Coordinates of all heavy atoms in Angstrom, one line a residue:
L1413 N 84.4 86.0 140.2 CA 84.4 84.6 139.9 C 85.7 83.9 140.2 O 86.7 84.4 139.9 CB 84.2 84.3 138.3 CG 84.2 82.9 137.8 CD1 83.0 82.1 138.3 CD2 84.1 82.9 136.2
G1414 N 85.6 82.9 141.1 CA 86.7 82.2 141.6 C 86.8 80.8 141.0 O 85.9 80.0 140.9
I1415 N 88.0 80.7 140.3 CA 88.3 79.4 139.6 C 89.4 78.7 140.2 O 90.5 79.2 140.7 CB 88.7 79.8 138.1 CG1 87.6 80.5 137.3 CG2 89.1 78.4 137.4 CD1 86.3 79.6 137.1
G1416 N 89.2 77.3 140.4 CA 90.2 76.5 141.0 C 89.8 75.8 142.4 O 88.8 76.3 143.0
A1417 N 90.6 74.9 142.9 CA 90.3 74.3 144.1 C 90.4 75.3 145.3 O 91.2 76.1 145.3 CB 91.3 73.2 144.4
A1418 N 89.3 75.3 146.1 CA 89.2 76.3 147.3 C 88.8 77.7 146.9 O 88.7 78.4 147.8 CB 90.3 76.2 148.1
A1419 N 88.6 78.0 145.5 CA 88.3 79.3 145.2 C 86.9 79.7 145.5 O 86.0 78.9 145.4 CB 88.6 79.6 143.7
H1420 N 86.7 81.0 145.8 CA 85.4 81.5 146.2 C 84.8 82.4 145.1 O 85.6 83.1 144.4 CB 85.4 82.3 147.6 CG 85.6 81.5 148.7 ND1 84.8 81.5 149.8 CD2 86.5 80.4 149.0 CE1 85.1 80.5 150.7 NE2 86.2 79.9 150.3
S1421 N 83.5 82.4 145.0 CA 82.9 83.4 144.0 C 81.8 84.1 144.7 O 81.3 83.8 145.7 CB 82.4 82.6 142.9 OG 83.3 81.8 142.2
Y1422 N 81.4 85.3 144.1 CA 80.2 86.0 144.7 C 79.5 86.7 143.5 O 80.2 87.3 142.6 CB 80.8 87.2 145.6 CG 79.9 88.2 145.9 CD1 78.8 88.0 146.9 CD2 80.0 89.5 145.4 CE1 78.0 89.1 147.2 CE2 79.2 90.5 145.8 CZ 78.1 90.4 146.6 OH 77.3 91.3 146.9
D1423 N 78.2 86.5 143.5 CA 77.3 87.0 142.4 C 76.2 87.9 142.9 O 75.2 88.0 142.2 CB 76.8 85.8 141.5 CG 75.9 84.9 142.4 OD1 75.5 85.3 143.5 OD2 75.4 83.9 141.8
I1424 N 76.4 88.5 144.0 CA 75.5 89.5 144.6 C 74.3 88.7 145.3 O 74.0 89.0 146.5 CB 74.9 90.5 143.6 CG1 76.0 91.3 143.1 CG2 73.8 91.3 144.3 CD1 75.4 92.3 142.0
D1425 N 73.8 87.6 144.8 CA 72.7 86.9 145.4 C 73.2 85.8 146.2 O 72.6 85.2 147.1 CB 71.7 86.2 144.3 CG 71.0 87.3 143.6 OD1 70.6 88.3 144.2 OD2 70.8 87.2 142.3
S1426 N 74.5 85.3 146.0 CA 75.0 84.1 146.7 C 76.5 84.2 146.8 O 77.2 84.9 146.0 CB 74.5 82.9 146.0 OG 75.2 82.8 144.7
R1427 N 77.1 83.3 147.6 CA 78.5 83.0 147.8 C 78.7 81.5 147.3 O 77.8 80.7 147.6 CB 79.0 83.2 149.1 CG 79.3 84.6 149.5 CD 80.0 84.8 150.8 NE 79.2 84.4 152.0 CZ 78.6 85.2 152.8 NH1 78.7 86.5 152.7 NH2 77.8 84.7 153.8
Q1428 N 79.7 81.3 146.8 CA 80.0 79.9 146.3 C 81.5 79.6 146.5 O 82.4 80.5 146.4 CB 79.6 79.7 144.7 CG 79.9 78.3 144.3 CD 79.3 78.2 142.8 OE1 78.2 78.6 142.5 NE2 80.3 77.7 141.8
W1429 N 81.8 78.4 146.9 CA 83.3 78.0 147.0 C 83.5 76.5 146.6 O 82.7 75.6 146.8 CB 83.6 78.2 148.5 CG 82.8 77.5 149.5 CD1 83.0 76.2 150.1 CD2 81.5 77.9 150.1 NE1 82.0 75.9 150.9 CE2 81.1 76.9 151.0 CE3 80.7 79.1 150.0 CZ2 79.9 77.0 151.7 CZ3 79.6 79.1 150.6 CH2 79.1 78.2 151.6
N1430 N 84.5 76.4 145.9 CA 84.9 75.1 145.4 C 85.5 74.3 146.5 O 86.1 74.8 147.5 CB 85.9 75.2 144.3 CG 85.3 75.7 143.0 OD1 84.1 75.7 142.8 ND2 86.1 76.1 142.0
V1431 N 85.5 72.9 146.4 CA 86.0 72.0 147.3 C 87.6 72.2 147.4 O 88.3 72.5 146.5 CB 85.8 70.5 146.9 CG1 86.6 70.2 145.5 CG2 86.3 69.5 147.9
A1432 N 88.1 72.1 148.7 CA 89.4 72.4 149.0 C 90.3 71.1 149.0 O 90.7 70.6 150.0 CB 89.6 73.0 150.3
D1433 N 90.3 70.4 147.8 CA 90.9 69.2 147.6 C 91.2 69.0 146.1 O 90.3 68.9 145.3 CB 90.0 68.0 148.0 CG 90.7 66.6 147.9 OD1 91.0 66.2 146.8 OD2 90.8 66.0 149.0
I1434 N 92.5 68.9 145.7 CA 92.9 69.0 144.3 C 92.5 67.9 143.6 O 91.8 68.0 142.5 CB 94.4 69.2 144.2 CG1 95.0 70.5 144.8 CG2 94.9 69.0 142.8 CD1 96.5 70.7 144.7
Q1435 N 92.5 66.6 144.1 CA 92.2 65.4 143.5 C 90.7 65.4 143.2 O 90.1 65.1 142.2 CB 92.7 64.2 144.2 CG 92.4 62.9 143.4 CD 93.2 62.8 142.1 OE1 94.1 63.5 141.9 NE2 92.9 61.7 141.3
H1436 N 89.9 65.8 144.2 CA 88.5 65.8 144.2 C 88.0 66.9 143.1 O 87.1 66.6 142.3 CB 87.9 66.2 145.5 CG 86.3 66.1 145.6 ND1 85.7 66.2 146.9 CD2 85.4 66.1 144.7 CE1 84.4 66.2 146.5 NE2 84.2 66.1 145.2
Y1437 N 88.7 67.9 143.2 CA 88.4 69.1 142.2 C 88.7 68.6 140.8 O 87.8 68.7 139.9 CB 89.2 70.3 142.6 CG 89.3 71.4 141.5 CD1 88.1 72.2 141.3 CD2 90.3 71.5 140.7 CE1 88.1 73.2 140.3 CE2 90.4 72.5 139.6 CZ 89.2 73.4 139.5 OH 89.2 74.3 138.5
I1438 N 89.8 68.0 140.5 CA 90.1 67.5 139.2 C 89.1 66.5 138.6 O 88.6 66.6 137.5 CB 91.6 67.0 139.1 CG1 92.6 68.2 139.3 CG2 91.9 66.2 137.8 CD1 94.0 67.7 139.4
L1439 N 88.9 65.5 139.4 CA 88.0 64.5 139.0 C 86.5 64.9 138.7 O 85.9 64.5 137.8 CB 87.9 63.3 140.1 CG 89.2 62.5 140.3 CD1 89.1 61.6 141.4 CD2 89.6 61.8 139.0
A1440 N 86.0 65.9 139.6 CA 84.7 66.4 139.4 C 84.6 67.2 138.1 O 83.7 67.0 137.3 CB 84.3 67.3 140.7
I1441 N 85.6 68.0 137.9 CA 85.6 68.9 136.6 C 85.6 68.0 135.4 O 85.0 68.2 134.4 CB 86.6 70.0 136.7 CG1 86.5 70.9 137.8 CG2 86.7 70.7 135.3 CD1 85.2 71.8 137.7
C1442 N 86.5 67.0 135.5 CA 86.6 66.0 134.4 C 85.2 65.2 134.1 O 85.0 64.9 133.0 CB 87.7 65.0 134.6 SG 89.3 65.7 134.5

Side-chain angles (χ1 to χ4, degrees):
L1413 176 63
I1415 300 293
H1420 287 235
S1421 302
Y1422 167 72
D1423 65 5
I1424 299 176
D1425 293 325
S1426 68
R1427 285 188 289 256
Q1428 182 173 307
W1429 55 94
N1430 287 347
V1431 63
D1433 182 299
I1434 292 176
Q1435 188 63 15
H1436 185 168
Y1437 168 75
I1438 290 174
L1439 292 175
I1441 296 294
C1442 287

